[in-house]
Amino acid sequence: MQRVLGVRRVPMEIAFAIILLVSFWLPRFYLSHKIPLDASLFAPASLLNLVLFDLVVLGYFMLPWLVLSLAWPSSRKKNYSIFLVYIAFAIFLAFFTSISEFFFIDEFLSRYNFIAIDYLVYTSEVLRNIWESFPIVPIIAVLISLCATLAWSLTRLRERLSNPLKIVLLLLYACLFVFVNEDRQLNAADESQKEFSKNGFHALFAAFRNNQIDFERFSTTLQ
């Protein structure tokens, strides 16, 4: 059946990227039920920012794989376990972060920002609160099972990108890391556009780098 549908002809790297992109979009779908949807969210500039942020984060996950696959072909049995572990870990991290962002959106109606960095400082208190508030064990168990299944399925795909194409991708990702900046890209966007365009991973890294937050938006003030 897989041969009939052409599934095995999909390059492993492309299938991996698609799975990661699905995880990136989950918080956006959830956020779309929390903020007013209007045409501005789908304006060319907003969509371009969205694509750029997703590509940068996709690069975070793809770069180690591309480097590993250039150094150690996954077709060799001794390297199979390395790729399997990395793929499973990457998929788990992507989906875990995206699902965790649902709770952040519920509380702050925002993608990850510097408040999330503050939470990491008080890790024990936050983890205890999460453990008491949500069924963590079933969620983690289902997520691990899903990620292990997806990782095993990916390693069964026989098609691979050529080495020259992998090198081109490495160069393109390097350019994206240099030129894509969240503050510059979102400078002219309104709040809804900003939150919809952001990628949770990229927003978290930007918050850590900038070390600041919109005080008026996220703090209660006396009138």
Side-chain angles (χ1 to χ4, degrees):
M1 179 61 71
Q2 284 184 322
R3 294 179 183 276
V4 173
L5 295 177
V7 174
R8 286 185 177 271
R9 298 191 62 81
V10 176
M12 181 196 294
E13 295 87 352
I14 300 300
F16 181 53
I18 292 173
I19 291 172
L20 295 175
L21 288 172
V22 169
S23 76
F24 298 163
W25 270 88
L26 290 177
R28 289 197 184 102
F29 284 127
Y30 189 68
L31 185 66
S32 68
H33 296 287
K34 300 287 186 177
I35 63 175
L37 288 177
D38 55 58
S40 68
L41 297 180
F42 305 98
S46 180
L47 292 178
L48 176 61
N49 289 333
L50 183 155
V51 171
L52 288 175
F53 293 142
D54 280 1
L55 286 178
V56 168
V57 178
L58 189 61
Y60 292 152
F61 288 98
M62 293 296 293
L63 278 174
W65 186 350
L66 293 175
V67 171
L68 283 173
S69 64
L70 286 170
W72 303 313
S74 60
S75 57
R76 298 178 183 175
K77 291 184 178 180
K78 65 179 181 179
N79 298 328
Y80 175 84
S81 58
I82 298 175
F83 282 84
L84 183 62
V85 170
Y86 176 75
I87 293 168
F89 171 76
I91 294 175
F92 176 84
L93 181 61
F95 277 93
F96 180 80
T97 303
S98 294
I99 293 172
S100 300
E101 199 170 3
F102 288 9
F103 307 116
F104 194 85
I105 291 171
D106 269 339
E107 186 169 356
F108 298 104
L109 204 61
S110 167
R111 309 301 293 271
Y112 283 136
N113 54 42
F114 194 72
I115 296 175
I117 304 297
D118 276 343
Y119 280 179
L120 295 178
V121 175
Y122 303 100
T123 306
S124 60
E125 293 84 351
V126 173
L127 289 178
R128 183 168 59 250
N129 183 50
I130 292 174
W131 182 268
E132 295 172 353
S133 303
F134 304 101
I136 297 300
V137 173
I139 292 175
I140 296 296
V142 171
L143 196 54
I144 289 176
S145 299
L146 173 64
C147 294
T149 301
L150 289 173
W152 181 85
S153 300
L154 282 177
T155 56
R156 306 301 294 176
L157 297 177
R158 295 178 180 176
E159 292 292 321
R160 303 288 191 276
L161 296 180
S162 65
N163 284 346
L165 184 54
K166 291 176 184 178
I167 294 173
V168 171
L169 287 175
L170 287 172
L171 295 175
L172 288 175
Y173 282 137
C175 292
L176 284 173
F177 295 150
V178 172
F179 292 108
V180 176
N181 179 279
E182 187 171 286
D183 293 334
R184 183 173 61 246
Q185 303 295 131
L186 298 177
N187 185 48
D190 62 33
E191 291 302 328
S192 294
Q193 284 179 320
K194 288 180 181 179
E195 300 304 332
F196 192 76
S197 298
K198 287 179 181 180
N199 180 291
F201 278 96
H202 198 276
L204 192 62
F205 294 148
F208 180 78
R209 182 183 65 252
N210 295 333
N211 194 28
Q212 62 184 9
I213 192 170
D214 186 340
F215 181 81
E216 293 184 357
R217 180 182 175 191
F218 292 101
S219 300
T220 302
T221 58
L222 295 175
Q223 300 295 329

